[in-house]
Amino acid sequence: MVYPEPMSKQPSERTTIALAQMAVSKRPVENLRAAASWIAKAAKKGAKIVCLPELFRSPYFCQREDPANFDLAEPIPGPTTQTLAKAAKKHRVAVIAPVFERRAAGVYHNSAAILDADGKLAGLYRKMHIPDDPAYYEKYYFAPGDLGFQACSTQHARVGVLICWDQWYPEAARLTALQGAEVLFYPTAIGWHPSEKKMHGAAQLDAWRTVQRAHAIANGVYVAVANRVGLEKPPGGGAGLAFWGGSFVCGPFGEVLAEASLDKEALLVAEIDRVRLEDVRRHWPFLRDRRIDAFGGITSRYLEKA
Amino acid sequence: MVYPEPMSKQPSERTTIALAQMAVSKRPVENLRAAASWIAKAAKKGAKIVCLPELFRSPYFCQREDPANFDLAEPIPGPTTQTLAKAAKKHRVAVIAPVFERRAAGVYHNSAAILDADGKLAGLYRKMHIPDDPAYYEKYYFAPGDLGFQACSTQHARVGVLICWDQWYPEAARLTALQGAEVLFYPTAIGWHPSEKKMHGAAQLDAWRTVQRAHAIANGVYVAVANRVGLEKPPGGGAGLAFWGGSFVCGPFGEVLAEASLDKEALLVAEIDRVRLEDVRRHWPFLRDRRIDAFGGITSRYLEKA
């Protein structure tokens, strides 16, 4: 078929993407080396875009509020993006590279650089929705993103990047998809409180998967979620967090195309198909009928009862 | 536990709701009688709110564009709401009563009256998102609703009503939930094109269920979907539509609490639990962190690429 519009700089019907589900070591240098190695492996399997998990360079330090952890932050460009840009260029793949970004003294973000297949920075996303829950003390570390929701073009696809807590927000997915994203990537660090796992674990995992599959359905896009895996205990002691892996890619019907285990590192590879995107949006033309005249209340915190 | 706010006129921790999954006969008078009978049965099982399927008074006439079908429309109040208001009052239950509404000559809506347990009209919803697809020619019949998205209080719960095609729109669910709805009811008439059922049927059904379960998750509400069931062929001949039943109720984790078959009439009964709603919203405080400063683009049809 002929496309009505070019969807990326080098459009083709299919593009292979990959997600690295990583278990993270205590040594940032090792995690960066591991990431470069996952990128090489993914390229070998034909992937053209590779996504790494949220904050993959270190253990999930947000389990505690400790000012020393700001030492883990770095600028963009900086060591992480420079190393991964080299890997991207070498292997001709775009890379979604999460970074604990130091923007200025006292201004830190939970970010992801989108590195294009020539190693250049194609886009920068700063996590918009910042959680604060027991053992996920992110509001202490990260200023909320101020770049908004964005899609950006790489050589291999037009992509949207959202990060972890963003995944619970239909507005975030919608605003990114409306900018032409073909795939929404979600670098993630989500897990169970070990004490809750037995009673609530399966339900939490299912809700997490379901809400993201629904973003794919409601918007007619692919969704690709790269989570970390493994139990991480904070330095001062405590039960820690059992990151649940379960990285997945789903298509625009929410159909799961590839899915990783809950307890092991994995490289997930899947194909996005632009003919299928076009076809699904023709048959389920949700975007046509949105009542944009009546959606103004979305910008309210709450709509009190009349 | 003590509630921080009264959630309905007679708050109690739990409220039983029911959905009637109806197969619709060709005679509107029979369908109305059947609806009253489902309401009686539901009340006997302890239900306090009963929801009927979209346009339950007649076969799904939108399979064809025929001006004679406007004869099926009626005002609100009118025969359907008067009959069902009597049933509501008699059994002390609130009723979600879909009506093909004749508002004026040439102004018709796909509506649902919310009848309170005393028989009074508690609210009126006019379907906001109107589909137009092969065999679902609704744009011919129905003017888009102009009452917006609403929640309304009944004696037994604060409810939101959305209708069928609305179920694909996260904005609709969000705007209704932000007004304090505890349950989103979706009177529905969705089915397979018989020729597509074998290849796409399971995937379509799963996407439909998934996107609605996600509304429950994203908003921390109950979702209750009443679909019709059975094959209906249009008068002039043709393959018709195989309405897929599958009515369901899910809780705020998207967990399915009750689910009907794909091929038989059914009365589904489930309980909504306000302690659970409070608990889920405390543990997953999505509403707290919405980036309302950055959601303005939601009122755009599309956001062209920079």
Side-chain angles (χ1 to χ4, degrees):
Chain A
M1 72 175 282
V2 176
Y3 280 95
E5 56 173 2
M7 290 195 177
S8 64
K9 289 177 203 161
Q10 295 184 354
S12 65
E13 286 191 359
R14 291 156 187 265
T15 299
T16 302
I17 65 172
L19 307 176
Q21 175 167 300
M22 294 172 63
V24 167
S25 97
K26 285 183 180 157
R27 303 191 54 218
V29 66
E30 280 178 12
N31 296 318
L32 185 56
R33 204 177 297 139
S37 154
W38 285 112
I39 291 167
K41 273 183 227 163
K44 214 166 174 178
K45 294 203 170 188
K48 299 297 180 190
I49 308 175
V50 186
C51 179
L52 302 166
E54 182 185 17
L55 300 169
F56 73 92
R57 283 218 58 186
S58 67
Y60 184 71
F61 54 85
C62 313
Q63 292 194 50
R64 292 286 158 83
E65 298 192 358
D66 180 351
N69 284 330
F70 288 107
D71 288 344
L72 295 166
E74 57 176 299
I76 296 175
T80 297
T81 57
Q82 280 155 2
T83 299
L84 296 182
K86 266 184 224 164
K89 191 175 177 181
K90 177 176 174 190
H91 300 291
R92 308 291 308 154
V93 300
V95 174
I96 316 297
V99 176
F100 177 16
E101 181 190 3
R102 183 185 186 282
R103 187 174 174 187
V107 185
Y108 298 85
H109 294 287
N110 186 333
S111 301
I114 298 101
L115 303 166
D116 210 343
D118 57 5
K120 289 185 185 147
L121 190 69
L124 175 62
Y125 176 73
R126 291 178 175 138
K127 187 172 182 176
M128 291 287 283
H129 295 98
I130 308 294
D132 190 298
D133 286 306
Y136 295 88
Y137 300 111
E138 295 198 17
K139 288 193 198 295
Y140 172 74
Y141 290 102
F142 311 122
D146 61 346
L147 298 174
F149 303 99
Q150 318 162 32
C152 94
S153 290
T154 70
Q155 290 182 12
H156 298 300
R158 192 162 167 84
V159 304
V161 177
L162 295 159
I163 301 178
C164 204
W165 192 235
D166 291 324
Q167 59 210 172
W168 301 97
Y169 294 86
E171 294 94 341
R174 178 72 96 203
L175 286 163
T176 308
L178 287 181
Q179 294 173 67
E182 299 165 306
V183 195
L184 305 180
F185 286 99
Y186 288 93
T188 297
I190 192 171
W192 293 296
H193 293 280
S195 65
E196 290 182 7
K197 182 175 172 182
K198 196 171 173 189
M199 193 189 281
H200 300 295
Q204 290 172 347
L205 177 68
D206 188 55
W208 173 79
R209 198 194 279 116
T210 300
V211 81
Q212 292 179 92
R213 290 174 57 215
H215 299 328
I217 298 163
N219 294 290
V221 293
Y222 287 80
V223 164
V225 185
N227 193 18
R228 67 171 68 195
V229 70
L231 180 65
E232 294 182 17
K233 296 200 176 197
L241 289 171
F243 292 97
W244 68 47
S247 301
F248 69 92
V249 179
C250 73
F253 259 47
E255 75 280 19
V256 174
L257 302 173
E259 190 167 19
S261 79
L262 304 180
D263 56 3
K264 286 183 193 63
E265 290 196 301
L267 183 71
L268 271 193
V269 177
E271 233 179 21
I272 65 166
D273 177 348
R274 292 176 182 81
V275 174
R276 176 142 173 85
L277 281 188
E278 175 73 24
D279 191 55
V280 167
R281 287 200 188 179
R282 281 187 191 192
H283 283 85
W284 277 356
F286 305 138
L287 297 184
R288 179 190 66 192
D289 292 331
R290 297 174 62 242
R291 287 299 302 273
I292 56 175
D293 60 305
F295 288 167
I298 291 282
T299 59
S300 296
R301 179 70 60 213
Y302 196 69
L303 296 162
E304 267 68 18
K305 302 164 193 178
Chain B
M1 72 176 284
V2 176
Y3 281 95
E5 55 173 2
M7 291 196 175
S8 65
K9 289 176 202 161
Q10 294 185 355
S12 65
E13 285 193 359
R14 289 156 187 265
T15 300
T16 302
I17 64 172
L19 307 176
Q21 175 166 299
M22 295 173 63
V24 166
S25 98
K26 286 183 180 160
R27 303 189 55 218
V29 66
E30 280 178 12
N31 295 320
L32 185 55
R33 205 177 296 139
S37 155
W38 286 114
I39 291 167
K41 273 182 226 161
K44 216 166 172 179
K45 294 203 169 188
K48 299 297 181 192
I49 308 176
V50 186
C51 180
L52 303 166
E54 181 185 18
L55 299 169
F56 74 92
R57 283 219 56 187
S58 68
Y60 184 69
F61 55 86
C62 312
Q63 292 194 50
R64 290 288 158 83
E65 298 193 358
D66 181 350
N69 284 331
F70 289 106
D71 287 345
L72 296 166
E74 58 176 299
I76 296 174
T80 297
T81 56
Q82 280 155 2
T83 300
L84 296 182
K86 267 184 221 161
K89 190 174 177 181
K90 179 175 170 189
H91 300 290
R92 308 293 308 154
V93 299
V95 175
I96 317 296
V99 176
F100 178 14
E101 180 189 5
R102 183 186 186 281
R103 187 173 173 189
V107 184
Y108 299 84
H109 294 286
N110 185 336
S111 302
I114 298 102
L115 303 165
D116 210 343
D118 57 6
K120 287 184 187 151
L121 189 69
L124 175 62
Y125 175 73
R126 291 178 175 139
K127 188 173 181 174
M128 290 287 282
H129 295 98
I130 308 293
D132 190 298
D133 287 305
Y136 295 88
Y137 300 111
E138 295 197 18
K139 288 192 198 297
Y140 173 75
Y141 291 103
F142 310 122
D146 61 345
L147 298 175
F149 303 99
Q150 317 162 35
C152 95
S153 291
T154 69
Q155 290 182 14
H156 298 299
R158 190 160 168 87
V159 304
V161 177
L162 295 159
I163 301 178
C164 205
W165 193 235
D166 291 323
Q167 57 210 176
W168 301 98
Y169 294 86
E171 294 94 341
R174 178 71 95 203
L175 285 163
T176 307
L178 287 182
Q179 293 172 67
E182 298 164 308
V183 195
L184 305 181
F185 285 99
Y186 287 92
T188 297
I190 193 169
W192 294 296
H193 294 280
S195 65
E196 290 182 4
K197 183 175 171 182
K198 197 171 172 190
M199 194 189 282
H200 301 295
Q204 290 172 347
L205 176 68
D206 188 55
W208 172 80
R209 198 193 279 115
T210 300
V211 81
Q212 292 178 92
R213 290 174 56 217
H215 300 328
I217 298 163
N219 295 291
V221 293
Y222 286 80
V223 163
V225 186
N227 193 18
R228 67 172 67 194
V229 71
L231 180 66
E232 294 183 18
K233 296 198 176 199
L241 289 171
F243 293 98
W244 69 44
S247 302
F248 69 92
V249 179
C250 72
F253 260 47
E255 75 280 20
V256 174
L257 302 172
E259 190 166 20
S261 79
L262 304 180
D263 57 2
K264 287 185 191 62
E265 291 195 301
L267 183 71
L268 272 194
V269 177
E271 234 180 20
I272 65 166
D273 177 348
R274 291 176 182 82
V275 173
R276 175 141 174 85
L277 281 188
E278 176 72 22
D279 191 54
V280 167
R281 287 200 187 178
R282 281 187 190 192
H283 283 84
W284 277 355
F286 306 138
L287 297 184
R288 179 191 64 190
D289 292 331
R290 296 175 62 242
R291 286 298 302 272
I292 56 173
D293 59 307
F295 288 166
I298 290 282
T299 60
S300 297
R301 178 70 60 216
Y302 196 68
L303 296 163
E304 267 67 18
K305 302 164 193 177

